[in-house]
Amino acid sequence: MNAKVNFQLPEQLIPFYSAADALNAYMLASEAIAQLRTLINQISKSTAQIKAYAHNNNVSQVVFSELENLISVSKLLADSQVDTYNLEFKRHTKESHDQYDAGDLFNTYSLAYENTSWLQTMFYQIKDEAEIVKDAVKQNIHSAVFGGLDNLIHIAAYLADNHSNTFDVEREKYEMEWNKIGGDQND
């Protein structure tokens, strides 16, 4: 007698991820912040060039103080974030678990989303402050001098927004999965 037995394994209730998935999330976050940090450095250089030009045109350097402070805070924030991701990457490389769950990846992408959102906010603050500086010096310096700085700020804000949205999508995906399996009750 040839009877066929229909045998199905039950669906895995809790999907697990590998260390590579966790490492990839930290690497993506680190690379995104490093890109933004590069743009912050370029914004700083452009601001210094404009400030030197302003000095040569007898414009008070005080008008640049707040803009320079915002740029400095952005640099410190980006440096701190890159350091955090690099430490987490190293920690998960050395002490990797066999399995990671959606909650682990939700936490990683939530952090990346929050950090890129902070930098996005900083870029909008820098943009607003650059407009204030531009207005304050318009009698002595043509607004075209600010063209490169404006472009860098817009690129940085766009890139931060893009990264933030990407991390938000990933965060929401893992949050839904985590909530679906009841992970929020286990925290």
Side-chain angles (χ1 to χ4, degrees):
M1 176 171 167
N2 277 342
K4 287 189 175 182
V5 176
N6 187 6
F7 179 71
Q8 292 182 329
L9 294 174
E11 183 180 331
Q12 183 177 349
L13 297 178
I14 302 175
F16 288 103
Y17 299 92
S18 70
D21 295 313
L23 292 173
N24 187 44
Y26 283 113
M27 184 59 71
L28 287 173
S30 179
E31 288 174 2
I33 300 299
Q35 291 170 359
L36 296 174
R37 182 175 59 183
T38 297
L39 287 167
I40 292 167
N41 289 333
Q42 292 304 309
I43 289 168
S44 180
K45 286 178 186 177
S46 182
T47 301
Q49 290 170 343
I50 294 170
K51 186 177 176 182
Y53 181 80
H55 177 71
N56 292 338
N57 286 289
N58 299 318
V59 174
S60 172
Q61 304 295 288
V62 175
V63 298
F64 290 91
S65 296
E66 194 65 25
L67 178 58
E68 290 173 317
N69 289 338
L70 287 169
I71 293 167
S72 292
V73 169
S74 298
K75 279 183 186 182
L76 291 171
L77 186 59
D79 288 344
S80 172
Q81 292 170 356
V82 167
D83 290 346
T84 297
Y85 294 128
N86 288 340
L87 286 172
E88 285 298 312
F89 184 85
K90 287 177 185 175
R91 184 174 70 87
H92 287 283
T93 300
K94 290 179 182 176
E95 304 170 12
S96 68
H97 303 82
D98 290 337
Q99 297 176 341
Y100 291 83
D101 59 30
D104 296 318
L105 294 173
F106 166 70
N107 290 336
T108 302
Y109 283 112
S110 291
L111 180 63
Y113 167 70
E114 184 175 310
N115 289 339
T116 53
S117 294
W118 289 352
L119 285 173
Q120 179 185 13
T121 300
M122 291 302 296
F123 291 129
Y124 286 117
Q125 289 298 120
I126 290 169
K127 177 185 169 288
D128 291 345
E129 191 58 36
E131 289 298 321
I132 292 169
V133 170
K134 198 184 314 182
D135 189 50
V137 300
K138 68 183 174 186
Q139 297 298 329
N140 298 37
I141 300 175
H142 192 275
S143 63
V145 172
F146 289 84
L149 176 62
D150 289 341
N151 287 339
L152 285 169
I153 294 168
H154 288 289
I155 291 167
Y158 169 80
L159 195 56
D161 183 49
N162 191 11
H163 287 315
S164 180
N165 289 338
T166 299
F167 293 135
D168 191 33
V169 167
E170 290 300 306
R171 180 191 67 77
E172 287 177 353
K173 178 176 81 173
Y174 290 112
E175 180 180 36
M176 287 188 325
E177 184 179 318
W178 188 238
N179 289 337
K180 182 177 161 184
I181 60 171
D184 57 342
Q185 297 169 0
N186 296 331
D187 283 346

